[in-house]
mmCIF file of all heavy atoms in Angstrom:
data_model
loop_
_atom_site.group_PDB
_atom_site.id
_atom_site.type_symbol
_atom_site.label_atom_id
_atom_site.label_comp_id
_atom_site.label_asym_id
_atom_site.label_seq_id
_atom_site.Cartn_x
_atom_site.Cartn_y
_atom_site.Cartn_z
ATOM 1 N N GLY J 165 7.003 23.923 19.136
ATOM 2 C CA GLY J 165 8.289 24.565 18.919
ATOM 3 C C GLY J 165 8.335 25.162 17.531
ATOM 4 O O GLY J 165 7.610 24.728 16.633
ATOM 5 N N ASP J 166 9.190 26.143 17.325
ATOM 6 C CA ASP J 166 9.253 26.827 16.034
ATOM 7 C C ASP J 166 10.684 27.021 15.571
ATOM 8 O O ASP J 166 11.608 27.127 16.385
ATOM 9 C CB ASP J 166 8.571 28.195 16.127
ATOM 10 C CG ASP J 166 7.067 28.102 16.208
ATOM 11 O OD1 ASP J 166 6.541 27.911 17.316
ATOM 12 O OD2 ASP J 166 6.419 28.221 15.153
ATOM 13 N N LYS J 167 10.826 27.108 14.272
ATOM 14 C CA LYS J 167 12.072 27.502 13.635
ATOM 15 C C LYS J 167 12.080 29.024 13.532
ATOM 16 O O LYS J 167 11.076 29.636 13.163
ATOM 17 C CB LYS J 167 12.150 26.872 12.242
ATOM 18 C CG LYS J 167 13.476 27.023 11.530
ATOM 19 C CD LYS J 167 14.483 26.051 12.053
ATOM 20 C CE LYS J 167 15.803 26.198 11.263
ATOM 21 N NZ LYS J 167 16.895 25.461 11.900
ATOM 22 N N THR J 168 13.213 29.648 13.877
ATOM 23 C CA THR J 168 13.295 31.107 13.740
ATOM 24 C C THR J 168 13.542 31.435 12.275
ATOM 25 O O THR J 168 14.646 31.712 11.832
ATOM 26 C CB THR J 168 14.412 31.686 14.635
ATOM 27 O OG1 THR J 168 15.639 30.985 14.383
ATOM 28 C CG2 THR J 168 14.058 31.531 16.096
ATOM 29 N N PHE J 169 12.467 31.393 11.521
ATOM 30 C CA PHE J 169 12.478 31.440 10.069
ATOM 31 C C PHE J 169 12.761 32.830 9.508
ATOM 32 O O PHE J 169 13.287 32.973 8.409
ATOM 33 C CB PHE J 169 11.127 30.907 9.564
ATOM 34 C CG PHE J 169 10.944 30.935 8.087
ATOM 35 C CD1 PHE J 169 11.827 30.273 7.251
ATOM 36 C CD2 PHE J 169 9.875 31.615 7.518
ATOM 37 C CE1 PHE J 169 11.645 30.290 5.877
ATOM 38 C CE2 PHE J 169 9.689 31.619 6.158
ATOM 39 C CZ PHE J 169 10.586 30.963 5.334
ATOM 40 N N THR J 170 12.413 33.864 10.242
ATOM 41 C CA THR J 170 12.588 35.245 9.781
ATOM 42 C C THR J 170 13.259 36.074 10.870
ATOM 43 O O THR J 170 13.234 35.711 12.045
ATOM 44 C CB THR J 170 11.232 35.881 9.446
ATOM 45 O OG1 THR J 170 10.450 35.964 10.651
ATOM 46 C CG2 THR J 170 10.473 35.047 8.422
ATOM 47 N N PRO J 171 13.861 37.215 10.515
ATOM 48 C CA PRO J 171 14.442 38.094 11.545
ATOM 49 C C PRO J 171 13.442 38.487 12.629
ATOM 50 O O PRO J 171 13.798 38.602 13.801
ATOM 51 C CB PRO J 171 14.911 39.308 10.740
ATOM 52 C CG PRO J 171 15.191 38.764 9.367
ATOM 53 C CD PRO J 171 14.135 37.704 9.149
ATOM 54 N N PHE J 172 12.182 38.649 12.255
ATOM 55 C CA PHE J 172 11.139 39.015 13.212
ATOM 56 C C PHE J 172 11.018 37.978 14.333
ATOM 57 O O PHE J 172 10.723 38.310 15.479
ATOM 58 C CB PHE J 172 9.792 39.150 12.476
ATOM 59 C CG PHE J 172 8.584 39.193 13.373
ATOM 60 C CD1 PHE J 172 8.205 40.374 14.006
ATOM 61 C CD2 PHE J 172 7.824 38.051 13.606
ATOM 62 C CE1 PHE J 172 7.094 40.415 14.836
ATOM 63 C CE2 PHE J 172 6.718 38.082 14.438
ATOM 64 C CZ PHE J 172 6.353 39.266 15.048
ATOM 65 N N SER J 173 11.260 36.702 13.984
ATOM 66 C CA SER J 173 11.027 35.619 14.936
ATOM 67 C C SER J 173 12.215 35.326 15.829
ATOM 68 O O SER J 173 12.114 34.481 16.729
ATOM 69 C CB SER J 173 10.662 34.342 14.170
ATOM 70 O OG SER J 173 11.760 33.885 13.398
ATOM 71 N N GLN J 174 13.354 35.984 15.637
ATOM 72 C CA GLN J 174 14.572 35.612 16.350
ATOM 73 C C GLN J 174 14.660 36.197 17.751
ATOM 74 O O GLN J 174 15.336 35.629 18.605
ATOM 75 C CB GLN J 174 15.794 36.020 15.524
ATOM 76 C CG GLN J 174 15.909 35.222 14.230
ATOM 77 C CD GLN J 174 17.017 35.715 13.335
ATOM 78 O OE1 GLN J 174 17.587 36.801 13.554
ATOM 79 N NE2 GLN J 174 17.344 34.954 12.307
ATOM 80 N N TRP J 175 13.994 37.307 17.991
ATOM 81 C CA TRP J 175 14.015 37.870 19.331
ATOM 82 C C TRP J 175 12.884 38.874 19.480
ATOM 83 O O TRP J 175 12.328 39.369 18.492
ATOM 84 C CB TRP J 175 15.363 38.517 19.656
ATOM 85 C CG TRP J 175 15.686 39.781 18.904
ATOM 86 C CD1 TRP J 175 15.748 39.939 17.533
ATOM 87 C CD2 TRP J 175 15.992 41.058 19.446
ATOM 88 N NE1 TRP J 175 16.081 41.234 17.214
ATOM 89 C CE2 TRP J 175 16.251 41.944 18.370
ATOM 90 C CE3 TRP J 175 16.109 41.538 20.749
ATOM 91 C CZ2 TRP J 175 16.575 43.284 18.554
ATOM 92 C CZ3 TRP J 175 16.452 42.885 20.941
ATOM 93 C CH2 TRP J 175 16.686 43.729 19.836
ATOM 94 N N VAL J 176 12.508 39.136 20.731
ATOM 95 C CA VAL J 176 11.512 40.153 21.063
ATOM 96 C C VAL J 176 12.223 41.219 21.874
ATOM 97 O O VAL J 176 12.740 40.939 22.969
ATOM 98 C CB VAL J 176 10.335 39.563 21.856
ATOM 99 C CG1 VAL J 176 9.300 40.640 22.143
ATOM 100 C CG2 VAL J 176 9.702 38.402 21.098
ATOM 101 N N ALA J 177 12.297 42.419 21.344
ATOM 102 C CA ALA J 177 13.062 43.490 21.972
ATOM 103 C C ALA J 177 12.659 43.681 23.427
ATOM 104 O O ALA J 177 11.468 43.774 23.745
ATOM 105 C CB ALA J 177 12.884 44.794 21.189
#
Side-chain angles (χ1 to χ4, degrees):
D166 287 84
K167 189 78 178 169
T168 52
F169 178 57
T170 64
F172 166 81
S173 66
Q174 293 174 348
W175 69 303
V176 182

